[in-house]
Amino acid sequence: MQREVQQRKIAVFGAGYIGLVTGACLAQLGHEVVVRDIQPERVRLLRSGEVPIHEPGLGDLIARNKERLVFTTGLEETLAGAEVAYVCVDTPPSAAGDADLSRVWSVVDSLAGAGHLRAVVVKSTVPVGTGARVRAALDRAGLGHVGYASNPEFTAEGRAVEDFLAPDRVVIGSSDAETARLIGELHAGVDGPVVVMDVESAEMSKMAANALLATKISFINEIATLCELTGGDVEMVAKAVGMDHRLGPRVPRACFSLAITRRFCAAGSAVADQRVQGRSPSTSPLRGATTSRAVSSTSSTGRAGGAVQGRSRSFPPSAAAAGLASSRTFSRIAPVAAARNALLLRIWIFPPR
């Protein structure tokens, strides 16, 4: 049942892929949205009706809601009257593979003095524990009364608008029930369930989803390789596996759609590397826990670019992996068996503060 939307004024920081989709979709839901970006040329293009990224339906959505959607480079204009501030800036990988949170902290610092805000929401992909640090920074800035929430994105390129307006789920992480309720109300009209949890669980849900996707892509790529070696039909294998009620047809199909050709395998590998390896730091001045390296760089890329054998040495070998590796035919699946031990791959967990 559709609920009546209570219009809110929302500030969105970042007019990149996630920020534009978030801003346009929130405007579509009836909210008044101001999107800020520090690149004047990008803002100029958006004001002129052009969309700097290609995403089906996004341009039409922006045009349809132009009365409720403003693009600017000005901080004061962005925050004027805003009740909720969304952080949608990118967190690119550094040379060491760490997630660069400098843009996130730049936005958080810019909120000092915005005491009229009711909530700050991070949608950017960030390491687990970032929310606690943002909360502490808001408290130090005199914004202790402003709620905080993690609202990670689960969008796929090519269907981002659909993933926002008709998602599998909307995850809201907050230790404050009032903030969770407010962010849930912002999504009134979205055709999907809202799942409320604590901040750390919401951050971990994003990391776990990325890790599982990378593992699935890697796994089906290895099965496709084994099918080539043994004469099997990977499409029939995927169909049979998907009929298992414990797995469901979408489990292998989601991987298989990326693994059906070498071209798609290469594309799947790039996505996995960006979302898992590039966005999860392995080292940092802070001391915390880290797991093994991303399986996507071993197994998934092996399917697209050459032999996989030998690449599993970066993983701690398990008994299962050692057993598989002893067979000539099945040595190529060793990275998958070893990947099981990687669990959430290279997920950084900040220590408690």
Side-chain angles (χ1 to χ4, degrees), residues 24-111:
C25 289
L26 287 172
Q28 172 67 18
L29 293 175
H31 303 294
E32 185 179 346
V33 182
V34 180
V35 180
R36 185 198 184 206
D37 200 275
I38 60 174
Q39 300 182 39
E41 179 60 19
R42 175 168 293 223
V43 172
R44 186 193 67 78
L45 287 173
L46 289 165
R47 285 176 171 176
S48 66
E50 298 183 54
V51 181
I53 63 174
H54 175 70
E55 182 60 35
L58 181 58
D60 293 338
L61 201 64
I62 292 175
R64 189 160 62 246
N65 294 281
K66 60 182 179 181
E67 299 299 323
R68 290 192 296 269
L69 195 54
V70 175
F71 300 100
T72 183
T73 58
L75 177 62
E76 291 185 5
E77 182 181 4
T78 306
L79 290 174
E83 297 179 72
V84 180
Y86 262 88
V87 182
C88 300
V89 295
D90 60 337
T91 54
S94 68
D98 299 351
D100 182 357
L101 301 183
S102 60
R103 293 174 177 86
V104 172
W105 294 121
S106 178
V107 173
V108 172
D109 291 341
S110 73
L111 299 178

Coordinates of all heavy atoms in Angstrom, one line a residue, residues 24-111:
A24 N 17.8 12.4 -7.9 CA 16.7 12.3 -8.9 C 15.6 11.5 -8.4 O 14.4 11.8 -8.5 CB 17.2 11.8 -10.2
C25 N 15.9 10.3 -7.7 CA 14.9 9.4 -7.2 C 14.2 10.0 -6.0 O 12.9 9.8 -5.9 CB 15.5 8.1 -6.9 SG 16.0 7.1 -8.4
L26 N 14.9 10.7 -5.2 CA 14.2 11.3 -4.0 C 13.3 12.4 -4.5 O 12.2 12.6 -3.9 CB 15.3 11.9 -3.0 CG 16.1 10.8 -2.2 CD1 17.2 11.5 -1.4 CD2 15.1 10.1 -1.3
A27 N 13.7 13.1 -5.5 CA 12.8 14.1 -6.1 C 11.6 13.5 -6.7 O 10.4 14.0 -6.6 CB 13.5 15.0 -7.2
Q28 N 11.8 12.3 -7.4 CA 10.6 11.6 -7.9 C 9.7 11.2 -6.8 O 8.4 11.1 -7.1 CB 11.2 10.4 -8.7 CG 10.1 9.4 -9.2 CD 9.2 10.0 -10.3 OE1 9.6 11.0 -10.9 NE2 8.1 9.4 -10.5
L29 N 10.2 10.9 -5.6 CA 9.3 10.5 -4.5 C 8.6 11.7 -3.9 O 7.8 11.5 -3.0 CB 10.2 9.8 -3.5 CG 10.7 8.4 -3.9 CD1 11.6 7.9 -2.7 CD2 9.6 7.4 -4.2
G30 N 8.9 12.9 -4.4 CA 8.2 14.1 -3.9 C 8.9 15.0 -3.0 O 8.4 16.0 -2.6
H31 N 10.2 14.8 -2.8 CA 11.0 15.6 -2.0 C 11.7 16.8 -2.7 O 11.9 16.7 -3.9 CB 12.1 14.8 -1.2 CG 11.5 13.7 -0.4 ND1 10.7 13.9 0.7 CD2 11.6 12.3 -0.6 CE1 10.4 12.7 1.2 NE2 10.9 11.7 0.4
E32 N 12.0 17.8 -2.0 CA 12.7 18.9 -2.6 C 14.2 18.7 -2.4 O 14.7 18.6 -1.2 CB 12.3 20.3 -2.0 CG 12.9 21.5 -2.6 CD 12.4 22.8 -1.9 OE1 11.4 22.7 -1.2 OE2 13.1 23.8 -2.1
V33 N 15.0 18.6 -3.5 CA 16.4 18.1 -3.4 C 17.3 19.2 -4.0 O 17.1 19.7 -5.1 CB 16.5 16.8 -4.1 CG1 18.0 16.3 -4.0 CG2 15.6 15.7 -3.6
V34 N 18.4 19.4 -3.3 CA 19.5 20.2 -3.8 C 20.7 19.4 -3.8 O 21.1 18.8 -2.8 CB 19.8 21.5 -2.9 CG1 20.9 22.3 -3.5 CG2 18.5 22.3 -2.8
V35 N 21.3 19.3 -5.0 CA 22.5 18.4 -5.2 C 23.7 19.3 -5.4 O 23.7 20.2 -6.3 CB 22.4 17.5 -6.4 CG1 23.6 16.6 -6.6 CG2 21.1 16.6 -6.3
R36 N 24.7 19.1 -4.6 CA 25.9 19.9 -4.7 C 27.1 19.1 -5.2 O 27.3 18.0 -4.8 CB 26.3 20.5 -3.3 CG 27.5 21.4 -3.4 CD 28.2 21.6 -2.0 NE 29.2 22.6 -2.1 CZ 30.3 22.7 -1.4 NH1 30.4 21.8 -0.4 NH2 31.2 23.6 -1.5
D37 N 27.9 19.7 -6.1 CA 29.1 19.1 -6.6 C 30.2 20.2 -6.7 O 29.8 21.4 -6.9 CB 28.9 18.5 -7.9 CG 30.0 17.5 -8.3 OD1 31.1 17.9 -8.8 OD2 29.8 16.3 -8.0
I38 N 31.4 19.9 -6.4 CA 32.5 20.9 -6.5 C 33.0 21.1 -7.9 O 33.9 22.0 -8.0 CB 33.6 20.5 -5.5 CG1 34.2 19.1 -6.0 CG2 33.1 20.4 -4.1 CD1 35.5 18.7 -5.2
Q39 N 32.5 20.4 -8.9 CA 33.0 20.6 -10.2 C 32.0 21.5 -11.0 O 30.9 21.1 -11.3 CB 33.1 19.3 -11.0 CG 34.0 18.3 -10.3 CD 34.1 17.0 -11.1 OE1 34.1 17.0 -12.4 NE2 34.3 15.9 -10.4
P40 N 32.4 22.8 -11.2 CA 31.5 23.7 -11.9 C 31.0 23.2 -13.2 O 29.8 23.5 -13.6 CB 32.3 25.0 -12.0 CG 33.4 24.9 -10.9 CD 33.7 23.4 -10.9
E41 N 31.8 22.6 -14.0 CA 31.4 22.2 -15.3 C 30.3 21.1 -15.2 O 29.4 21.1 -16.0 CB 32.6 21.6 -16.1 CG 32.3 21.1 -17.5 CD 31.7 22.2 -18.4 OE1 31.9 23.4 -18.1 OE2 31.1 21.8 -19.4
R42 N 30.4 20.2 -14.3 CA 29.4 19.2 -14.1 C 28.0 19.9 -13.7 O 27.0 19.5 -14.2 CB 29.8 18.2 -13.0 CG 28.7 17.2 -12.7 CD 29.3 16.1 -11.9 NE 30.3 15.3 -12.6 CZ 30.3 13.9 -12.6 NH1 29.5 13.2 -11.9 NH2 31.2 13.3 -13.3
V43 N 28.1 20.8 -12.8 CA 26.9 21.5 -12.4 C 26.3 22.3 -13.6 O 25.1 22.3 -13.8 CB 27.2 22.5 -11.2 CG1 26.0 23.3 -10.9 CG2 27.6 21.6 -10.0
R44 N 27.2 22.9 -14.4 CA 26.7 23.6 -15.6 C 25.9 22.7 -16.5 O 24.8 23.0 -17.0 CB 27.8 24.3 -16.3 CG 27.4 25.2 -17.5 CD 28.6 25.6 -18.3 NE 29.1 24.4 -19.0 CZ 28.6 23.9 -20.1 NH1 27.4 24.4 -20.6 NH2 29.1 22.9 -20.7
L45 N 26.5 21.5 -16.8 CA 25.8 20.6 -17.7 C 24.5 20.1 -17.1 O 23.5 20.1 -17.9 CB 26.7 19.3 -17.8 CG 28.0 19.5 -18.7 CD1 28.8 18.2 -18.6 CD2 27.6 19.8 -20.1
L46 N 24.4 19.9 -15.8 CA 23.2 19.4 -15.2 C 22.1 20.5 -15.3 O 20.9 20.3 -15.5 CB 23.4 19.0 -13.8 CG 24.2 17.7 -13.6 CD1 24.7 17.5 -12.2 CD2 23.3 16.5 -14.0
R47 N 22.5 21.8 -15.1 CA 21.6 22.9 -15.1 C 21.0 23.1 -16.5 O 19.9 23.5 -16.7 CB 22.3 24.2 -14.6 CG 22.4 24.2 -13.1 CD 23.2 25.5 -12.7 NE 23.2 25.7 -11.3 CZ 23.9 26.7 -10.7 NH1 24.6 27.5 -11.4 NH2 23.8 26.8 -9.4
S48 N 21.9 22.7 -17.5 CA 21.4 22.9 -18.9 C 20.6 21.7 -19.4 O 20.2 21.7 -20.6 CB 22.7 23.1 -19.8 OG 23.4 21.9 -19.9
G49 N 20.4 20.8 -18.6 CA 19.6 19.6 -18.9 C 20.3 18.4 -19.4 O 19.8 17.4 -19.8
E50 N 21.7 18.5 -19.4 CA 22.5 17.4 -19.9 C 22.9 16.5 -18.6 O 23.0 17.0 -17.5 CB 23.8 17.9 -20.6 CG 23.5 18.7 -21.8 CD 24.8 19.1 -22.5 OE1 25.6 18.2 -22.8 OE2 25.0 20.3 -22.8
V51 N 23.0 15.2 -18.9 CA 23.4 14.3 -17.8 C 24.8 13.8 -18.1 O 25.0 13.2 -19.2 CB 22.4 13.1 -17.7 CG1 22.8 12.2 -16.6 CG2 21.0 13.6 -17.5
P52 N 25.8 14.0 -17.3 CA 27.2 13.6 -17.5 C 27.5 12.1 -17.5 O 28.6 11.7 -17.7 CB 28.0 14.4 -16.5 CG 27.0 14.6 -15.4 CD 25.7 14.7 -16.0
I53 N 26.5 11.3 -17.0 CA 26.7 9.9 -17.0 C 25.6 9.2 -17.8 O 24.6 9.8 -18.0 CB 26.8 9.4 -15.6 CG1 25.4 9.6 -14.9 CG2 27.9 10.0 -14.8 CD1 25.3 9.0 -13.5
H54 N 25.9 8.0 -18.3 CA 24.9 7.3 -19.0 C 24.2 6.3 -18.0 O 24.9 5.3 -17.5 CB 25.5 6.5 -20.2 CG 24.5 5.6 -20.9 ND1 23.5 6.2 -21.6 CD2 24.4 4.3 -20.9 CE1 22.8 5.2 -22.1 NE2 23.3 4.0 -21.7
E55 N 23.0 6.5 -17.8 CA 22.2 5.5 -17.0 C 20.7 5.6 -17.5 O 20.1 6.6 -17.5 CB 22.2 5.9 -15.5 CG 21.5 5.0 -14.6 CD 22.0 3.6 -14.6 OE1 23.2 3.4 -14.8 OE2 21.2 2.7 -14.5
P56 N 20.2 4.5 -18.0 CA 18.9 4.5 -18.6 C 17.8 5.0 -17.7 O 17.7 4.6 -16.5 CB 18.6 3.0 -18.9 CG 20.0 2.4 -19.1 CD 20.9 3.2 -18.1
G57 N 17.0 6.0 -18.2 CA 16.0 6.6 -17.4 C 16.3 7.7 -16.5 O 15.5 8.5 -16.1
L58 N 17.6 7.9 -16.3 CA 18.0 9.0 -15.4 C 17.8 10.4 -15.9 O 17.3 11.3 -15.2 CB 19.5 8.8 -15.0 CG 20.1 9.9 -14.0 CD1 19.3 9.8 -12.7 CD2 21.6 9.6 -13.8
G59 N 18.1 10.6 -17.2 CA 17.9 11.9 -17.8 C 16.4 12.3 -17.8 O 16.0 13.4 -17.5
D60 N 15.5 11.3 -18.1 CA 14.1 11.6 -18.1 C 13.6 11.9 -16.7 O 12.7 12.8 -16.5 CB 13.3 10.4 -18.7 CG 13.6 10.2 -20.1 OD1 14.0 11.1 -20.8 OD2 13.3 9.0 -20.6
L61 N 14.2 11.2 -15.7 CA 13.8 11.4 -14.3 C 14.2 12.8 -13.9 O 13.4 13.5 -13.2 CB 14.4 10.3 -13.4 CG 13.8 10.0 -12.1 CD1 12.4 9.5 -12.3 CD2 14.7 9.1 -11.3
I62 N 15.4 13.2 -14.2 CA 15.8 14.6 -13.8 C 14.9 15.6 -14.5 O 14.5 16.6 -13.9 CB 17.3 14.8 -14.2 CG1 18.2 13.9 -13.3 CG2 17.7 16.2 -14.1 CD1 19.6 13.9 -13.7
A63 N 14.6 15.4 -15.8 CA 13.8 16.4 -16.5 C 12.4 16.5 -16.0 O 11.8 17.6 -15.8 CB 13.8 16.0 -18.0
R64 N 11.9 15.3 -15.6 CA 10.5 15.3 -15.1 C 10.4 15.9 -13.7 O 9.3 16.4 -13.3 CB 10.0 13.8 -15.0 CG 8.6 13.6 -14.7 CD 8.1 12.2 -15.1 NE 8.8 11.2 -14.4 CZ 9.6 10.3 -15.0 NH1 9.8 10.4 -16.3 NH2 10.1 9.3 -14.3
N65 N 11.4 16.0 -12.9 CA 11.4 16.5 -11.6 C 12.2 17.8 -11.4 O 12.7 18.1 -10.3 CB 11.9 15.5 -10.6 CG 11.0 14.3 -10.5 OD1 9.9 14.3 -9.9 ND2 11.4 13.2 -11.2
K66 N 12.4 18.5 -12.5 CA 13.3 19.7 -12.5 C 12.8 20.8 -11.5 O 13.6 21.6 -11.1 CB 13.4 20.3 -13.9 CG 12.1 20.8 -14.6 CD 12.4 21.2 -16.0 CE 11.1 21.7 -16.7 NZ 11.4 22.2 -18.1
E67 N 11.5 20.8 -11.2 CA 11.0 21.8 -10.3 C 11.4 21.5 -8.9 O 11.3 22.4 -8.0 CB 9.4 21.9 -10.4 CG 8.9 22.3 -11.8 CD 9.4 23.6 -12.2 OE1 9.5 24.5 -11.3 OE2 9.7 23.8 -13.4
R68 N 11.7 20.3 -8.6 CA 12.1 19.9 -7.2 C 13.6 19.5 -7.1 O 14.0 19.0 -6.1 CB 11.2 18.7 -6.8 CG 9.8 19.0 -6.5 CD 9.1 17.8 -5.8 NE 9.1 16.6 -6.6 CZ 8.1 16.3 -7.4 NH1 7.1 17.1 -7.6 NH2 8.2 15.2 -8.1
L69 N 14.3 19.8 -8.2 CA 15.7 19.3 -8.2 C 16.6 20.5 -8.6 O 16.5 21.0 -9.7 CB 15.8 18.2 -9.2 CG 17.1 17.3 -9.2 CD1 17.3 16.7 -7.8 CD2 16.9 16.2 -10.2
V70 N 17.5 20.9 -7.7 CA 18.4 22.0 -8.0 C 19.9 21.5 -7.9 O 20.2 20.7 -7.1 CB 18.2 23.1 -6.9 CG1 19.2 24.2 -7.1 CG2 16.8 23.6 -7.0
F71 N 20.7 22.0 -8.8 CA 22.1 21.7 -8.8 C 22.9 22.9 -8.5 O 22.7 24.0 -9.1 CB 22.5 21.1 -10.2 CG 21.8 19.8 -10.5 CD1 20.7 19.9 -11.4 CD2 22.1 18.6 -10.0 CE1 19.9 18.7 -11.7 CE2 21.4 17.5 -10.3 CZ 20.3 17.5 -11.1
T72 N 23.9 22.8 -7.7 CA 24.7 23.9 -7.3 C 26.1 23.5 -6.8 O 26.4 22.4 -6.5 CB 24.0 24.7 -6.1 OG1 24.7 25.9 -5.8 CG2 23.9 23.8 -4.9
T73 N 27.0 24.6 -6.8 CA 28.3 24.4 -6.2 C 28.4 25.0 -4.8 O 29.4 24.9 -4.1 CB 29.4 25.0 -7.1 OG1 29.1 26.4 -7.3 CG2 29.5 24.3 -8.4
G74 N 27.3 25.8 -4.4 CA 27.3 26.5 -3.2 C 26.9 25.7 -2.0 O 25.9 25.1 -2.0
L75 N 27.7 25.8 -0.9 CA 27.4 25.1 0.3 C 26.2 25.7 1.0 O 25.3 25.0 1.5 CB 28.6 25.2 1.2 CG 28.4 24.5 2.6 CD1 28.1 23.0 2.5 CD2 29.7 24.7 3.5
E76 N 26.1 27.0 1.1 CA 25.0 27.7 1.8 C 23.7 27.3 1.1 O 22.7 27.1 1.8 CB 25.2 29.2 1.9 CG 26.3 29.6 2.8 CD 26.4 31.1 2.9 OE1 25.5 31.8 2.4 OE2 27.4 31.6 3.5
E77 N 23.6 27.4 -0.2 CA 22.4 27.1 -1.0 C 22.0 25.6 -0.7 O 20.8 25.3 -0.7 CB 22.6 27.3 -2.5 CG 21.4 27.1 -3.3 CD 21.6 27.3 -4.8 OE1 22.8 27.6 -5.2 OE2 20.7 27.2 -5.6
T78 N 23.0 24.7 -0.6 CA 22.7 23.3 -0.4 C 22.1 23.0 0.9 O 21.1 22.3 1.0 CB 24.0 22.5 -0.6 OG1 24.6 22.8 -1.8 CG2 23.7 21.0 -0.5
L79 N 22.6 23.7 2.0 CA 22.1 23.4 3.3 C 20.9 24.2 3.8 O 20.3 23.9 4.8 CB 23.3 23.6 4.3 CG 24.4 22.6 4.2 CD1 25.6 23.0 5.1 CD2 23.9 21.2 4.6
A80 N 20.6 25.3 3.0 CA 19.5 26.2 3.4 C 18.2 25.4 3.6 O 17.7 24.9 2.6 CB 19.4 27.3 2.4
G81 N 17.8 25.3 4.8 CA 16.5 24.7 5.1 C 16.5 23.2 5.0 O 15.4 22.5 5.2
A82 N 17.6 22.6 4.8 CA 17.7 21.1 4.6 C 17.5 20.4 5.9 O 18.0 20.8 7.0 CB 19.0 20.7 4.0
E83 N 16.7 19.4 5.9 CA 16.4 18.5 7.1 C 17.4 17.4 7.1 O 17.8 16.9 8.2 CB 15.0 18.0 7.1 CG 14.0 19.1 7.2 CD 12.6 18.5 7.2 OE1 12.2 17.9 8.2 OE2 11.9 18.7 6.2
V84 N 17.7 16.8 6.0 CA 18.6 15.7 5.9 C 19.7 15.9 4.9 O 19.5 16.5 3.8 CB 17.8 14.4 5.4 CG1 18.7 13.2 5.3 CG2 16.6 14.2 6.4
A85 N 20.9 15.6 5.2 CA 22.1 15.7 4.3 C 22.6 14.3 4.0 O 22.9 13.5 4.9 CB 23.2 16.5 5.0
Y86 N 22.6 14.0 2.7 CA 23.1 12.7 2.2 C 24.5 12.9 1.7 O 24.8 13.8 0.9 CB 22.2 12.2 1.0 CG 21.1 11.2 1.4 CD1 19.9 11.7 1.8 CD2 21.4 9.9 1.3 CE1 18.9 10.8 2.2 CE2 20.4 9.0 1.7 CZ 19.2 9.4 2.1 OH 18.2 8.5 2.5
V87 N 25.4 12.0 2.1 CA 26.8 12.0 1.7 C 26.9 10.9 0.6 O 26.8 9.7 0.9 CB 27.8 11.7 2.8 CG1 29.2 11.7 2.3 CG2 27.6 12.7 3.9
C88 N 27.1 11.4 -0.7 CA 27.1 10.4 -1.8 C 28.4 10.6 -2.6 O 28.4 10.4 -3.8 CB 25.9 10.6 -2.7 SG 24.3 10.4 -1.9
V89 N 29.5 11.0 -2.0 CA 30.7 11.2 -2.7 C 31.4 9.9 -2.9 O 31.1 8.9 -2.2 CB 31.6 12.2 -1.9 CG1 31.0 13.6 -1.9 CG2 31.9 11.7 -0.5
D90 N 32.4 9.9 -3.9 CA 33.0 8.6 -4.1 C 34.2 8.4 -3.1 O 34.7 9.3 -2.5 CB 33.6 8.6 -5.6 CG 34.6 9.7 -5.8 OD1 34.5 10.7 -5.1 OD2 35.4 9.6 -6.8
T91 N 34.5 7.1 -3.0 CA 35.6 6.7 -2.1 C 36.6 5.9 -2.9 O 36.7 4.7 -2.8 CB 35.1 5.9 -0.9 OG1 34.3 4.8 -1.4 CG2 34.2 6.8 0.0
P92 N 37.4 6.6 -3.8 CA 38.3 5.8 -4.7 C 39.4 5.1 -4.0 O 39.8 5.5 -2.8 CB 38.8 7.0 -5.6 CG 38.8 8.2 -4.7 CD 37.6 8.0 -3.9
P93 N 39.9 4.1 -4.6 CA 41.1 3.4 -3.9 C 42.4 4.1 -4.1 O 42.6 4.8 -5.1 CB 41.1 2.0 -4.7 CG 40.6 2.4 -6.1 CD 39.5 3.4 -5.8
S94 N 43.2 4.0 -3.1 CA 44.5 4.6 -3.2 C 45.4 3.6 -3.8 O 45.0 2.5 -4.2 CB 45.1 4.9 -1.8 OG 45.3 3.7 -1.0
A95 N 46.7 3.9 -4.0 CA 47.7 3.0 -4.6 C 47.8 1.8 -3.8 O 48.1 0.7 -4.3 CB 49.0 3.7 -4.8
A96 N 47.6 1.9 -2.5 CA 47.8 0.7 -1.6 C 46.5 -0.1 -1.5 O 46.5 -1.1 -0.8 CB 48.2 1.2 -0.2
G97 N 45.4 0.4 -2.1 CA 44.1 -0.3 -2.1 C 43.2 0.2 -1.0 O 42.1 -0.3 -0.8
D98 N 43.7 1.2 -0.2 CA 42.8 1.7 0.9 C 41.7 2.5 0.3 O 41.9 3.2 -0.8 CB 43.6 2.6 1.8 CG 44.8 1.8 2.5 OD1 44.8 0.6 2.4 OD2 45.6 2.5 3.1
A99 N 40.6 2.6 1.0 CA 39.5 3.5 0.6 C 39.8 4.9 1.0 O 40.1 5.2 2.1 CB 38.2 3.0 1.2
D100 N 39.8 5.8 0.0 CA 40.1 7.2 0.3 C 38.9 7.9 0.8 O 37.9 8.1 0.0 CB 40.7 7.8 -1.0 CG 41.0 9.3 -0.8 OD1 40.8 9.8 0.3 OD2 41.5 9.9 -1.8
L101 N 38.8 8.2 2.0 CA 37.6 8.8 2.6 C 37.7 10.3 2.7 O 36.9 11.0 3.4 CB 37.4 8.3 4.0 CG 37.2 6.7 4.1 CD1 36.9 6.4 5.6 CD2 36.0 6.3 3.2
S102 N 38.7 10.9 2.0 CA 38.9 12.4 2.2 C 37.7 13.2 1.7 O 37.4 14.2 2.4 CB 40.1 12.8 1.3 OG 40.0 12.5 -0.1
R103 N 37.0 12.7 0.7 CA 35.8 13.5 0.3 C 34.7 13.3 1.3 O 33.9 14.3 1.5 CB 35.4 12.9 -1.1 CG 36.3 13.2 -2.2 CD 35.9 12.6 -3.5 NE 36.8 12.9 -4.6 CZ 37.9 12.3 -4.9 NH1 38.3 11.2 -4.2 NH2 38.6 12.6 -6.0
V104 N 34.6 12.2 1.9 CA 33.6 12.0 3.0 C 33.9 13.0 4.1 O 32.9 13.7 4.6 CB 33.6 10.6 3.5 CG1 32.7 10.4 4.7 CG2 33.1 9.6 2.4
W105 N 35.1 13.0 4.6 CA 35.4 13.9 5.7 C 35.3 15.4 5.3 O 34.9 16.2 6.1 CB 36.9 13.6 6.2 CG 37.0 12.3 6.8 CD1 37.8 11.3 6.4 CD2 36.2 11.7 7.9 NE1 37.6 10.2 7.2 CE2 36.7 10.4 8.1 CE3 35.2 12.3 8.7 CZ2 36.1 9.6 9.1 CZ3 34.7 11.5 9.7 CH2 35.1 10.2 9.9
S106 N 35.5 15.7 4.0 CA 35.3 17.1 3.6 C 33.9 17.5 3.7 O 33.6 18.6 4.2 CB 35.8 17.2 2.1 OG 35.6 18.5 1.7
V107 N 33.0 16.6 3.4 CA 31.5 16.9 3.5 C 31.2 17.0 5.0 O 30.5 17.9 5.4 CB 30.7 15.8 2.8 CG1 29.2 16.0 3.1 CG2 30.9 15.8 1.3
V108 N 31.6 16.1 5.8 CA 31.3 16.1 7.2 C 31.8 17.4 7.9 O 31.0 18.0 8.7 CB 31.9 14.8 7.9 CG1 31.7 14.9 9.5 CG2 31.2 13.6 7.4
D109 N 33.0 17.8 7.5 CA 33.5 19.0 8.1 C 32.7 20.2 7.7 O 32.6 21.2 8.4 CB 35.0 19.2 7.7 CG 35.9 18.2 8.3 OD1 35.5 17.6 9.3 OD2 37.0 18.0 7.8
S110 N 32.2 20.2 6.5 CA 31.4 21.3 5.9 C 30.1 21.5 6.6 O 29.4 22.5 6.5 CB 31.2 21.2 4.4 OG 30.2 20.2 4.1
L111 N 29.6 20.5 7.4 CA 28.3 20.5 8.0 C 28.4 21.3 9.4 O 27.3 21.5 10.0 CB 27.8 19.1 8.3 CG 27.6 18.3 7.0 CD1 27.1 16.9 7.4 CD2 26.6 18.9 6.1

